[in-house]
């Protein structure tokens, strides 16, 4: 065996199998993450990033993953060369069995024969050569390698030539067989150059060399190999055995067998393949980088949009809260009813002017309570419509800020993605519920005040309840809380210092309802901005895959 063969085998085996099973796992993980990556905000560069994402996914699907999957299968050693060079005879001789027919007719081999170890049969079932070649299982084939006896390269048969091309593509190792008579042919060298260009590993077998010319031919061939830049190509010389039938002498092919044995084995076979694949793997890494960068850009855009949304909602919320506390709710209906009640002869007219008996009479109190009851309904309806209006106003404010000329990037796409019609159609119902709740709070507060007042009935609260009834007091308190001054004055006279506290409590409840109604307008947009694709760590998994792959390749 040529010493260069030893050196090459040693180099292959020393090369740490950088492709180990986890590369396929890592690439599959990456494929899943690339598939799941979305760019929900249309910002600068997002269309390009989406294009890159699809290209990367296709790259992984069409090239990287199929090739990596093949890594689990044995490395394919294609035995190739001119017709009659002795390829079939060599394969048979290596395995000491006739697995492929050799013959005197040119060309002999028309359908490739792939000899593999029985234990590797499963791994070859999915191989892309399946169906193209005749598979032969044989114990003598080293595990992790498969020997492929190819049809000739320069065949008179076009189909053979096409086949040779296909095999060249599938070859992990190219064992080139030529003869002393034909090693000068142009075609073998062209093919060898193609193989070398593909960075496929190459070894050469010089067949049928007579003892007297062996030194001279070897030197010449080495020089030619060097001239073609193939200095590391192992060269095996098989001595001529004269006219013969069947297998070559075992001794003559033993160096090739030993060398194949060195190459075989999982890791070494993978290392051979890695040489062609590492480039492809490294080539996809910048794409992943680009995707992760754009995911970060989306996350940044999301933060800006969230800030803008918060800023857009603050003025309408303040305005609505202030308006609700300062009389917006006290509309025409409320004022008209109040005027009616406090007009001469109205229920509130003689509240502080009638005789003490009349004032304290339970009958008068019930009548006043009944008369004031509709005021509660008026206030509730007015609060509901004021809240609805505040919501509508907030919506336009948000829209203006998020889509206007100074809007942050991606604002429009948020609106496009969110179902605002549903939000709008619920606005009235939400406002009505809030108004109802506010009235309920008013009733509870009056009830609580009465409950803590002294049981002897001499407190101001007890007197006020006797004078206007529970509902009446609630109506007056709610009107006062909504910023209606005449009601506030009456409440003061009825409750004394408790009036201010009660009023204050209900006013802030109303203001809170207004703020909530306004904030709700940003709710669905805010929820959209909180989707996982826009989370601060959205790019983390992609970057993790990137780090793992960088390590592995
Ligand atoms: N004299 C001599 N004949 C050989 C040697 N090796 C192979 N042969 C003969 O050469 C002929 C062609 O051998 P094959 O093994 O069929 O050649 P091949 O390269 O497979 O040819 P194709 O299948 O046509 O591409 C056969 O008759 C072999 O017996 C050798 O070392 N010395
Ligand atoms: Mg043959």
């Amino acid at each position: 065996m040529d010493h260069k063969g030893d050196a090459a085998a040693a180099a292959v085996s020393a090369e740490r199998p950088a492709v180990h099973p986890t590369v396929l796992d890592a690439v599959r993980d990456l494929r899943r993450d690339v598939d799941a990556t979305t760019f929900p905000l249309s910002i600068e560069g997002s269309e390009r990033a989406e294009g890159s994402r699809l290209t990367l996914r296709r790259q992984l699907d069409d090239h990287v993953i199929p090739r990596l999957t093949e890594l689990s299968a044995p490395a394919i050693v294609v035995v190739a060369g001119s017709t009659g060079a002795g390829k079939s005879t060599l394969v048979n001789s290596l395995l000491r069995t006739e697995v492929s027919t050799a013959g005197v007719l040119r060309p002999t081999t028309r359908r490739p024969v792939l000899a593999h170890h029985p234990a590797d049969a499963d791994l070859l079932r999915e191989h892309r050569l399946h169906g193209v070649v005749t598979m032969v299982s044989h114990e003598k084939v080293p595990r992790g390698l498969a020997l492929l006896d190819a049809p000739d390269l320069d065949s008179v048969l076009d189909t053979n030539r096409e086949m040779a091309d296909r095999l060249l593509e599938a070859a992990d190792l190219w064992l080139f067989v030529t003869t002393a008579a034909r090693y000068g042919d142009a075609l073998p060298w062209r093919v060898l150059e193609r193989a070398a260009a593909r960075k496929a590993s190459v070894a050469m077998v010089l067949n049928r060399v007579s003892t007297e010319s062996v030194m001279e031919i070897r030197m010449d061939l080495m020089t030619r190999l060097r001239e073609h830049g193939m200095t590391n190509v192992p060269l095996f010389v098989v001595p001529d055995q004269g006219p013969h039938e069947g297998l070559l002498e075992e001794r003559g092919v033993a160096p090739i067998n030993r060398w194949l044995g060195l190459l075989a084995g999982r890791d070494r076979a993978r290392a051979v393949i890695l040489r062609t694949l590492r480039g492809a793997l490294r080539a996809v890494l910048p794409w992943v980088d680009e995707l992760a960068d754009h995911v970060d850009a989306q996350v940044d855009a999301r933060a800006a949009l969230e800030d803008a949304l918060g800023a857009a909602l603050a003025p309408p919320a303040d305005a609505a809260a202030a308006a609700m506390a300062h009389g917006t709710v006290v509309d025409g209906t409320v004022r008209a009813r109040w005027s009616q009640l406090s007009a001469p002869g109205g229920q509130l007219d003689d509240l502080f002017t009638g005789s003490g008996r009349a004032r304290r009479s339970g009958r008068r109190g019930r009548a006043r309570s009944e008369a004031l009851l509709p005021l509660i309904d008026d206030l509730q309806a007015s609060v509901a419509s004021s809240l609805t209006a505040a919501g509508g106003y907030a919506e336009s404010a948000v829209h203006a800020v998020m889509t206007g000329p100074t809007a942050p990037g991606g604002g429009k796409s948020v609106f496009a993605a969110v179902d605002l019609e549903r939000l709008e159609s619920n606005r009235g119902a939400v406002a009505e519920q809030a108004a109802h709740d506010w009235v309920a709070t008013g009733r509870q507060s009056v009830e609580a005040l009465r409950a803590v007042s002294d049981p002897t009935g001499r407190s101001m609260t007890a007197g006020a309840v006797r004078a206007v009834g529970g509902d009446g007091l609630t109506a007056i308190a709610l009107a006062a809380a909504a910023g209606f001054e005449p009601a506030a004055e009456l409440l003061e006279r009825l409750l004394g210092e408790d009036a201010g506290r009660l009023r204050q409590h209900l006013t802030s409840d109303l203001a809170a309802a207004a703020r909530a109604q306004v904030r709700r307008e940003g709710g669905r947009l805010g929820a959209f901005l909180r989707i996982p694709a826009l989370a601060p760590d959205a790019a983390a998994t992609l970057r993790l895959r990137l780090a793992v792959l960088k390590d592995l390749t």
Side-chain angles (χ1 to χ4, degrees):
M1 178 178 177
D2 187 81
H3 71 279
K4 289 217 161 151
D6 274 335
V12 170
S13 59
E15 191 178 326
R16 206 22 239 154
V19 169
H20 51 84
T22 57
V23 175
L24 182 55
D25 295 342
V27 171
R28 284 199 174 127
D29 287 346
L30 174 67
R31 162 69 175 76
R32 215 184 30 249
D33 290 337
V34 168
D35 195 46
T37 298
T38 56
F39 308 116
L41 302 174
S42 66
I43 56 174
E44 204 194 321
S46 55
E47 258 178 50
R48 203 178 51 242
E50 176 61 7
S52 303
R53 187 183 76 84
L54 297 177
T55 308
L56 174 57
R57 198 180 61 183
R58 204 164 345 113
Q59 196 80 3
L60 294 174
D61 282 350
D62 294 354
H63 303 294
V64 180
I65 290 178
R67 197 75 185 91
L68 273 171
T69 306
E70 280 178 25
L71 278 182
S72 331
I76 307 292
V77 178
V78 173
V79 181
S82 309
T83 180
K87 302 180 290 296
S88 301
T89 305
L90 178 66
V91 169
N92 293 339
S93 303
L94 287 168
L95 303 178
R96 311 313 299 161
T97 318
E98 187 176 300
V99 294
S100 182
T101 312
V104 287
L105 299 179
R106 300 272 68 83
T108 302
T109 307
R110 308 213 170 174
R111 185 175 165 87
V113 174
L114 183 74
H116 59 82
H117 190 273
D120 284 338
D122 274 354
L123 296 167
L124 283 165
R125 205 153 289 151
E126 306 262 302
H127 199 278
R128 58 174 149 163
L129 287 177
H130 195 90
V132 178
V133 301
T134 302
M135 300 254 182
V136 178
S137 178
H138 199 278
E139 291 282 349
K140 270 214 152 75
V141 184
R143 264 198 87 171
L145 284 186
L147 279 177
L148 193 146
D149 179 26
D152 65 301
L153 294 173
D154 47 354
S155 179
V156 290
L157 298 176
D158 281 349
T159 50
N160 272 16
R161 272 209 296 273
E162 281 162 28
M163 178 59 74
D165 282 347
R166 272 179 93 166
L167 299 179
L168 180 63
E169 297 301 314
D172 296 301
L173 189 97
W174 193 240
L175 190 59
F176 192 82
V177 182
T178 187
T179 62
R182 300 199 59 179
Y183 75 90
D185 290 3
L187 184 97
W189 290 101
R190 276 212 303 278
V191 175
L192 273 182
E193 275 169 358
R194 264 178 71 198
R198 288 183 66 247
K199 303 260 184 291
S201 302
V202 174
M204 190 172 252
V205 177
L206 184 58
N207 206 9
R208 303 195 196 181
V209 186
S210 64
T211 328
E212 48 277 22
S213 57
V214 66
M215 290 295 281
E216 199 182 341
I217 292 179
R218 181 209 286 270
M219 290 302 290
D220 189 32
L221 193 47
M222 299 279 284
T223 310
R224 280 170 196 252
L225 283 169
R226 239 194 322 277
E227 277 167 12
H228 287 82
M230 288 180 269
T231 43
N232 281 324
V233 172
L235 172 61
F236 301 97
V237 177
V238 179
D240 187 18
Q241 299 192 4
H244 77 106
E245 281 290 318
L247 307 180
L248 302 171
E249 259 181 51
E250 189 162 10
R251 202 163 41 89
V253 297
I256 305 177
N257 248 338
R258 270 204 306 279
W259 184 73
L260 289 175
L262 277 172
L263 285 183
R266 272 282 102 80
D267 290 350
R268 281 185 293 266
R270 287 202 179 97
V272 169
I273 300 161
L274 177 65
R275 232 171 282 158
T276 40
L277 205 54
R278 188 184 273 149
L281 277 171
R282 285 188 179 156
V284 305
L285 298 184
W287 292 78
V288 183
D289 234 344
E290 191 192 324
L291 286 201
D293 283 351
H294 191 74
V295 169
D296 281 340
Q298 293 268 321
V299 173
D300 292 346
R302 192 251 330 151
L305 284 167
E306 255 176 5
D307 289 350
L309 184 59
L313 286 170
D318 291 345
M324 298 296 268
H326 293 107
T328 287
V329 170
V330 189
D331 59 4
T333 319
V334 172
R335 282 177 202 281
R337 196 177 299 280
W338 188 270
S339 304
Q340 208 180 359
L341 290 169
S342 35
Q347 289 290 0
L348 297 178
D349 177 37
D350 61 345
L351 196 49
F352 296 101
T353 55
S355 70
R357 266 180 74 109
R359 275 170 59 198
R360 286 192 296 275
S361 135
R363 198 172 46 80
R364 274 304 269 152
R366 269 196 300 282
R368 287 198 188 99
S369 193
E370 260 170 47
L372 281 162
L373 198 55
L375 189 66
I376 296 181
D377 293 339
D378 294 343
L379 285 164
Q380 184 172 325
S382 177
V383 164
S385 65
S386 298
L387 288 176
T388 307
Y393 171 68
E395 191 219 305
S396 0
V398 167
H399 193 271
V401 171
M402 301 281 277
T403 66
T406 59
K412 285 199 182 72
S413 52
V414 177
F415 272 87
V418 172
D419 181 7
L420 288 170
E421 263 172 39
R422 252 184 73 204
L423 186 72
E424 198 172 341
S425 68
N426 284 338
R427 187 180 293 142
V430 171
E432 265 167 36
Q433 184 61 48
H436 176 271
D437 292 348
W438 179 62
V439 168
T441 304
R443 286 188 202 282
Q444 283 158 15
S445 307
V446 166
E447 192 47 49
L449 206 58
R450 183 157 67 169
V452 297
S453 66
D454 76 301
T456 62
R458 273 196 292 267
S459 72
M460 277 194 90
T461 309
V465 170
R466 267 199 304 281
V468 295
D471 285 336
L473 193 54
T474 302
I476 295 164
L478 290 174
F484 188 43
E485 280 315 316
E489 280 162 28
L490 181 55
L491 191 67
E492 175 89 38
R493 291 182 75 174
L494 284 167
L495 291 180
E497 55 182 29
D498 280 342
R501 270 197 299 279
L502 178 59
R503 183 187 173 187
Q504 192 66 54
H505 173 60
L506 294 177
T507 299
S508 45
D509 195 59
L510 189 57
R515 287 183 186 283
Q517 183 84 31
V518 166
R519 268 201 307 277
R520 182 186 161 274
E521 297 295 328
R524 205 170 291 236
L525 301 178
F528 175 79
L529 292 174
R530 283 190 296 277
I531 59 174
L534 297 173
D537 62 348
T541 24
L542 277 178
R543 293 207 192 283
L544 177 72
R545 306 294 178 224
L546 196 59
V548 168
L549 276 173
K550 271 185 185 150
D551 261 13
L552 289 173
T553 57

